[in-house]
Each structure stands twice: as structure tokens, then as C-alpha cells.
Amino acid sequence: MLLCLSMKYNGSSCVSASSFSLTFYFHMMDCNNQQEVGNMVEWCLPHDINLDGVEFKSMASGSHRITSDFIYFRKGCYFGLACFANMPVESEVERGARMKSVGILSPSYTLLYRYMHFLENQVRHQLQCPGEYSPLEAFYEDKKAVLPSTGNGLVTACPTWSVTSINRCMHPEMKITHPAGCMSQFIQFFGEQIMVLWKFALLRKRLLIFSPPPVGVVCYRVYCCCCLANVSLPGIGVSVPELRPFFYINIADITTLESEVSYVACTTEKIFEEKRELYDVYIDNQNVKTHRSHLMPLLRVNAADKEKYRKLTEQRQLLLYSQEVEEDCTSNEEDLFILFFMELNNRIFQTLSEVAGSIDPTLTAEHVRAMGLDPQCDRFFLMDLLEVYGYDVTLVIDNLCCP
């Protein structure tokens, strides 16, 4: 089933992040700027789909301050991608600005990127020619598909994620194609703090990233955070909560988030910082913080973390050198980044599984160092990891001081 919709924003703030099924398109717009109207679904295909809340999900709060953006979000069990644009107009009715968003809904975000260029063109077209939907209608007719539904256009089950071959280094449903340098920007933006985010992701905590608009690049940070927790060993993590990417969220998602035990999301709504019951880790710019006392020791970047980050940057520099000097196009930064953390995670869980299955299930300082962790400084991280993943081993480490 494919969906096209048009929506309009009228000076009020926007909301939310969720997910949808196979390929749908929606177009949102902001025309009249009348406070009493707010965001409205202006047009969509098919006409009988339930789009409640999508009018807010496809325009981030604060978007009126920028000229363009793109947004990944969720609705139910489906994902959406919307492209937003803002154009000044000489109209008192529209209060000097016309804002629109055109988007698509899908059961995964694997292929949404393929339609970003089309959505960007269509939102510009809608700004110039409001109400001209023939390109969207033609696209719908060309791409539409039929999905088993519950009668309201919703598929009952979320997409199944499965590990593919190691050379692609990731789950197919986790695949997003980024603008050039997305992974590089993520590494440079957070620096050594990536190792802190990695631990929280592996522990399946609720991570919320705050940033003012534009929100597109922040949605990519959500994706990058999810990549930190990839594991390719069979049977690992089947009993732990899935680290779900929610992408953009706002106040309309509060009820949904109340029941979530693990997720990564981003928002432009500063009020979320006060909603501490909804998250475990709050990331404001490069400032990673938590109000959970037992997680606070994990905020410190220790010597083992710095060594892992050094190895990551060293591998990245070697890759960049091979690409520039040797013209090696077979590898890219995304694969390097994901493979680095996957191998790190695999080594940790392989060691834990071996210790747990041994006659003497005692995890020693030597084991911990072999996993690339610090026996003292990573003690609390290890204790949480053993509990979350259900490993029945004894952690025996002396000297609890950590410089």
C-alpha cells in the first residue's frame, strides 16, 4: 500500500515520531498560518488510511525558523520520511510564509532514502504550485503495493530484523544511506563520547537526543547510535529488549514512550528534559548526561575507552588514505564503523558465553582486559551487562578505585 499526503502548518508547533508499512507517501503543508487551525493533512493517497498525528510528525517543532529539512519518524509499527520546505510569500493570510512537507510511510526505513530526492522536488513543487498533485498521483500509481492489513491499513506485526552476511556488517532493516560523511560527522561530533553512547546502547537504555532544527542530521545520529549495539553472534540478545529507533519524537509521543523500555530518539522539544521518567540518557549537543545514579559512573571516559577510540580513528585514517591514494572504492566509513563495534561486541559476548559455559564461571580481570574493557572502571558497566543479558557468571575483580 502506498500513501501520498499533503498537510499544512499554521503557526503552531509540531510533534512526534513513529513507523508505518511498505511504501506510502504523504504530503504535508503549511499554508494559512492561522493559529486556530494548526497543522492539517491537506491531501493523501490512499484516502482511507488512518493518518492521525502524521500532520505533526512530519514537521518538527521550530521548523518555521529554517528553510528546509528532512525528518525520519515512526507511526505505529511503521517508518516515515518527510521533506520540509519553507518559502516566504507576500500573503497576509499565510502570514508571510508558506510551509509544506511531503512524505512517505514504509514498514522499514531501509529504502526510504531512495525517495528523498523525489520528496525534495515535490515539496518545492507544492510551494510553487499549491494543490497540483498530479506528480504525486502518478508516483502513487507507479509504486503502490498491497499489504495484508487489519482493515485500517495497518500491518499487525513490525518488520523482522535479521543479520545478513558480515561483509555488509548490519541488519538489512537498519540500513539507511546517508549523505556523504554521516558516520564521519558522528565520530567527529561526539569524539570519545561515542564510547559512552556505545555502553548505553549495548545496555538497551532509553536514549533521547535533543537538538533544535534542522532535525535531519540528528535523525542520522539516532541511526548511528543504534549501529553501536549490533551483534552477529547467533542467540545473543534474543531475550533483551530491541533497541528501537524512534527517530523524531515530540510531545504527542509521550504516551507511547511511557511503555517503551529501550529506544533511541531525537526531539526539538526542550520540555522533554523535564520528563525524566521517559528516558535514561539525555544528550544535549555533545553533553551526555543521566539522572540515574547507577548509570552515572558510565559517563566517564576511561583509559580503555580512549584506547578503543584511538583504534577506531586509526582505522578510519587508514581507510581514508587507501581511498585517496590507492583509490580503493570497495570499503566505506559506514561499514568500517559498524564492523568495528560489531567485532567489539562479538568479542565481549563470545568471552562471556565461554566463561558462563565453563566449569568455573568466574569472570576475572584478565577476561575483562581481553574484552577491551577496564577491570575497575568498567565494573559497573559489566555488572549491568551481565544482568541485562542474563549471564550467570561471577565477577571477581579487586581494587575498585578508578583514576
Side-chain angles (χ1 to χ4, degrees):
M1 188 181 296
L2 210 140
L3 155 76
C4 298
L5 68 91
S6 168
M7 315 173 67
K8 54 185 172 185
Y9 162 72
N10 295 298
S12 54
S13 62
C14 318
V15 289
S16 199
S18 275
S19 80
F20 244 63
S21 174
L22 215 59
T23 314
F24 300 68
Y25 277 75
F26 53 82
H27 168 160
M28 309 174 51
M29 67 189 280
D30 173 332
C31 288
N32 299 336
N33 265 344
Q34 299 169 356
Q35 293 283 350
E36 67 274 17
V37 176
N39 293 16
M40 293 179 60
V41 176
E42 177 182 310
W43 178 89
C44 72
L45 282 177
H47 299 296
D48 58 351
I49 191 74
N50 181 357
L51 298 176
D52 291 347
V54 170
E55 67 271 25
F56 300 112
K57 299 174 187 296
S58 298
M59 287 186 185
S61 177
S63 293
H64 60 281
R65 303 186 187 95
I66 59 177
T67 58
S68 64
D69 198 4
F70 64 93
I71 306 168
Y72 281 88
F73 62 89
R74 295 180 63 130
K75 177 172 171 56
C77 285
Y78 303 92
F79 295 88
L81 169 64
C83 288
F84 165 84
N86 181 357
M87 181 181 74
V89 293
E90 295 182 2
S91 168
E92 292 184 4
V93 175
E94 297 178 271
R95 297 186 179 181
R98 179 178 299 156
M99 290 174 271
K100 293 176 180 281
S101 186
V102 180
I104 179 174
L105 294 171
S106 170
S108 80
Y109 49 91
T110 305
L111 302 178
L112 288 179
Y113 73 92
R114 294 184 178 180
Y115 306 109
M116 186 178 293
H117 184 64
F118 171 79
L119 298 177
E120 289 172 338
N121 287 337
Q122 286 304 305
V123 74
R124 287 192 292 267
H125 176 73
Q126 286 299 319
L127 288 176
Q128 298 291 340
C129 308
E132 173 51 54
Y133 305 125
S134 55
L136 293 173
E137 292 169 340
F139 185 84
Y140 172 80
E141 291 301 324
D142 181 55
K143 304 291 184 182
K144 67 181 178 180
V146 177
L147 295 177
S149 71
T150 59
N152 59 356
L154 300 183
V155 172
T156 56
C158 292
T160 299
W161 294 8
S162 59
V163 178
T164 67
S165 58
I166 192 76
N167 64 337
R168 286 314 304 158
C169 312
M170 66 182 307
H171 300 168
E173 300 301 337
M174 287 289 290
K175 185 79 172 99
I176 277 185
T177 294
H178 306 282
C182 173
M183 289 294 181
S184 175
Q185 291 174 9
F186 182 71
I187 295 171
Q188 293 176 4
F189 185 79
F190 285 109
E192 294 176 343
Q193 290 278 76
I194 284 180
M195 307 315 302
V196 174
L197 298 177
W198 161 67
K199 293 175 186 178
F200 288 132
L202 209 56
L203 292 175
R204 299 297 196 261
K205 299 304 178 183
R206 299 172 298 171
L207 281 66
L208 181 58
I209 305 173
F210 167 79
S211 177
V215 77
V217 67
V218 192
C219 289
Y220 284 146
R221 291 173 192 159
V222 170
Y223 162 75
C224 290
C225 282
C226 288
C227 291
L228 297 174
N230 282 345
V231 180
S232 63
L233 297 178
I236 300 298
V238 294
S239 62
V240 301
E242 183 181 61
L243 188 64
R244 295 158 59 90
F246 265 67
F247 296 107
Y248 173 71
I249 63 170
N250 59 25
I251 56 175
D253 291 299
I254 288 178
T255 301
T256 300
L257 293 178
E258 287 174 342
S259 60
E260 292 295 325
V261 295
S262 177
Y263 71 81
V264 185
C266 61
T267 186
T268 59
E269 300 276 4
K270 191 67 174 177
I271 192 173
F272 269 98
E273 187 172 7
E274 304 172 9
K275 307 289 185 180
R276 293 186 168 190
E277 70 280 5
L278 299 178
Y279 63 86
D280 301 308
V281 180
Y282 188 82
I283 305 160
D284 185 347
N285 201 22
Q286 285 116 325
N287 183 20
V288 182
K289 53 188 177 181
T290 179
H291 57 281
R292 310 286 184 189
S293 58
H294 71 285
L295 296 178
M296 289 180 181
L298 278 63
L299 294 174
R300 172 178 288 186
V301 178
N302 60 49
D305 294 330
K306 293 180 180 181
E307 176 61 17
K308 288 190 287 287
Y309 181 73
R310 185 194 65 78
K311 290 180 179 179
L312 173 62
T313 53
E314 184 179 78
Q315 290 184 22
R316 178 172 169 265
Q317 290 302 320
L318 289 174
L319 173 65
L320 296 177
Y321 177 83
S322 65
Q323 289 177 334
E324 181 177 352
V325 177
E326 301 174 10
E327 298 183 354
D328 177 14
C329 300
T330 60
S331 301
N332 58 60
E333 278 192 90
E334 182 180 12
D335 284 350
L336 183 149
F337 178 89
I338 296 170
L339 185 58
F340 178 88
F341 284 98
M342 180 180 286
E343 290 179 340
L344 175 60
N345 299 337
N346 286 350
R347 184 164 69 251
I348 290 175
F349 289 113
Q350 183 66 42
T351 302
L352 292 178
S353 297
E354 290 175 356
V355 171
S358 66
I359 298 177
D360 180 16
T362 300
L363 192 67
T364 66
E366 184 178 350
H367 290 127
V368 175
R369 293 190 187 95
M371 292 189 289
L373 300 175
D374 187 291
Q376 283 78 43
C377 299
D378 284 321
R379 181 181 178 89
F380 292 105
F381 168 61
L382 271 171
M383 291 171 64
D384 281 351
L385 198 68
L386 295 175
E387 181 180 355
V388 169
Y389 288 83
Y391 282 100
D392 187 13
V393 303
T394 303
L395 181 60
V396 178
I397 298 174
D398 299 324
N399 184 14
L400 298 183
C401 64
C402 181

